[in-house]
Amino acid sequence: MIYWKKLFACLLSFGLILVFSGCGMAEEKKEDGRLKVVATVFAEYDFLRNIAGDAIHLSMLMMPGADLHAFDPTPKDIMKVQEADLFVTVGGESDAWSEKIIDSIDDKKLQTIRLMDCVDTVVEEEIVEGMEAEEEHEEHGEEEEKEFDEHVWTSPKNAVQIIEKLTDKLCQLDGANAELYQANAKSYIEKLHKLDKAFMELIQNAKRKEIIVADRFPFRYFADAYGLKYYAAFPGCSTQTGASVETIAFLIRKAQEDSIPVIFHMEMSSEAMCNTICDETGAKKAQLNAVHNISRQDFDKGKGYLELMRENIEVLKEALY
């Protein structure tokens, strides 16, 4: 941890030197008057581009295909944030590095939004039956720090609240384009309501209301919103990727006992555990999109939150009916 902090401090200092050195990239860039907005992950990026379109200069720090839980900012990333008018982060443990950047910028013009602050309720990470908790190396006498599930956008109901907060902030910063932002947000929220209704009807009428995810489980808000029971290898923010024999055996047994036809994995993660369980049970493998990031192929195709969540509807039909 001490080494990481020193390394981050060095990177941050290097970034500051580049910015203020007379040959920094900021001096070469032509200004076009648009708000500069930086998002850390794809869900934020996609929400912002649907609200604002080309009215803002939008960039995303975590490139398509990357894993948020393993991401470290580069000096170039730090510079982007330093030049921004608005910095949108998740607000959880996995992008705690963003708080260090924010704290390092002595500039009152930078506005920030944390997705976890945009929703009515955040919940703690949950350890369900069969799931492995991450090993803690706590010093004697210290209280265990609460860990909150940060994947708040996985519920379309929460996505509506996030869109509203992002729109309010953009209107506050750029009143000239307020009508555009509000009109786009209204249209997008209508689509989110239709998505929410589709999930609600799907799960209310389902034969079963239980899923197995042989992976991390970043779908807690989604499961809570629609009354889904779930089993998984790890909670959503776990850094573990390899499950124990006991956990795999539990998931295999649960799939067999409850005749689960589909075993899920999340996007851009190892499918080895999912493959093992499918081989042992005869279940079908499918991807459930958490939309924390997107593959380069899907990004180039222009896919977004709505398209990826609609894909979830189709695979859930197979799993629940």
Side-chain angles (χ1 to χ4, degrees), residues 169-210:
K169 178 60 73 172
L170 290 174
C171 290
Q172 174 190 332
L173 295 174
D174 182 19
N177 285 309
E179 289 187 8
L180 170 68
Y181 301 146
Q182 290 165 351
N184 288 344
K186 181 181 178 182
S187 175
Y188 193 74
I189 287 172
E190 288 174 359
K191 295 174 184 177
L192 288 172
H193 283 315
K194 289 180 181 178
L195 183 67
D196 175 44
K197 183 179 179 182
F199 277 122
M200 194 174 301
E201 291 177 350
L202 169 70
I203 295 170
Q204 281 179 347
N205 298 317
K207 175 182 175 182
R208 59 178 64 84
K209 294 178 173 60
E210 170 188 42

Side-chain angles (χ1 to χ4, degrees), residues 194-254:
K194 289 180 181 178
L195 183 67
D196 175 44
K197 183 179 179 182
F199 277 122
M200 194 174 301
E201 291 177 350
L202 169 70
I203 295 170
Q204 281 179 347
N205 298 317
K207 175 182 175 182
R208 59 178 64 84
K209 294 178 173 60
E210 170 188 42
I211 60 172
I212 291 178
V213 178
D215 211 323
R216 296 197 296 259
F217 192 81
F219 307 99
R220 171 75 189 279
Y221 293 94
F222 177 86
D224 287 356
Y226 303 111
L228 267 182
K229 187 174 184 179
Y230 69 92
Y231 299 95
F234 310 109
C237 291
S238 174
T239 58
Q240 298 184 82
T241 55
S244 69
V245 172
E246 290 79 10
T247 292
I248 294 174
F250 172 84
L251 295 175
I252 290 172
R253 185 170 64 254
K254 181 58 65 174

Side-chain angles (χ1 to χ4, degrees), residues 29-241:
K29 183 175 180 178
K30 293 181 180 179
E31 299 292 340
D32 59 10
R34 294 181 296 166
L35 285 178
K36 295 178 185 176
V37 183
V38 176
T40 57
V41 300
F42 178 71
E44 305 157 355
Y45 175 88
D46 190 53
F47 291 156
L48 286 160
R49 69 178 176 179
N50 275 280
I51 298 168
D54 293 331
I56 62 174
H57 184 280
L58 177 63
S59 59
M60 178 172 64
L61 295 187
M62 192 174 69
M63 290 295 97
D67 181 2
L68 173 62
H69 302 86
F71 178 80
D72 281 322
T74 65
K76 184 177 180 180
D77 294 328
I78 295 169
M79 291 170 62
K80 282 184 181 179
V81 179
Q82 289 168 334
E83 297 167 6
D85 300 297
L86 176 63
F87 185 32
V88 182
T89 73
V90 175
E93 183 63 28
S94 63
D95 70 352
W97 49 265
S98 65
E99 298 298 325
K100 299 179 187 297
I101 297 178
I102 292 168
D103 291 343
S104 75
I105 299 174
D106 185 19
D107 189 343
K108 294 180 181 179
K109 87 175 185 67
L110 178 66
Q111 298 287 306
T112 59
I113 286 186
R114 297 165 180 83
L115 296 197
M116 293 178 72
D117 294 338
C118 292
V119 299
D120 292 336
T121 305
V122 293
V123 297
E124 289 185 54
E125 289 271 86
E126 180 181 44
I127 304 298
V128 300
E129 184 183 5
M131 185 183 285
E132 290 186 55
E134 195 148 18
E135 292 183 9
E136 298 289 340
H137 302 283
E138 299 177 4
E139 293 184 14
H140 181 69
E142 286 189 359
E143 286 189 17
E144 184 177 349
E145 187 177 347
K146 291 182 179 180
E147 290 191 22
F148 292 94
D149 191 319
E150 58 198 50
H151 307 88
V152 291
W153 61 86
T154 57
S155 162
K157 299 176 190 294
N158 281 352
V160 170
Q161 295 182 45
I162 292 168
I163 293 293
E164 290 172 343
K165 296 295 193 303
L166 291 174
T167 302
D168 288 345
K169 178 60 73 172
L170 290 174
C171 290
Q172 174 190 332
L173 295 174
D174 182 19
N177 285 309
E179 289 187 8
L180 170 68
Y181 301 146
Q182 290 165 351
N184 288 344
K186 181 181 178 182
S187 175
Y188 193 74
I189 287 172
E190 288 174 359
K191 295 174 184 177
L192 288 172
H193 283 315
K194 289 180 181 178
L195 183 67
D196 175 44
K197 183 179 179 182
F199 277 122
M200 194 174 301
E201 291 177 350
L202 169 70
I203 295 170
Q204 281 179 347
N205 298 317
K207 175 182 175 182
R208 59 178 64 84
K209 294 178 173 60
E210 170 188 42
I211 60 172
I212 291 178
V213 178
D215 211 323
R216 296 197 296 259
F217 192 81
F219 307 99
R220 171 75 189 279
Y221 293 94
F222 177 86
D224 287 356
Y226 303 111
L228 267 182
K229 187 174 184 179
Y230 69 92
Y231 299 95
F234 310 109
C237 291
S238 174
T239 58
Q240 298 184 82
T241 55

Side-chain angles (χ1 to χ4, degrees), residues 198-199 201-203 205-208 211 261-262 264 286 288 310-321:
F199 277 122
E201 291 177 350
L202 169 70
I203 295 170
N205 298 317
K207 175 182 175 182
R208 59 178 64 84
I211 60 172
V262 177
F264 291 113
L288 200 61
R310 287 174 187 142
E311 289 180 4
N312 286 349
I313 289 177
E314 296 307 311
V315 294
L316 282 168
K317 284 180 181 177
E318 292 188 73
L320 301 178
Y321 282 77

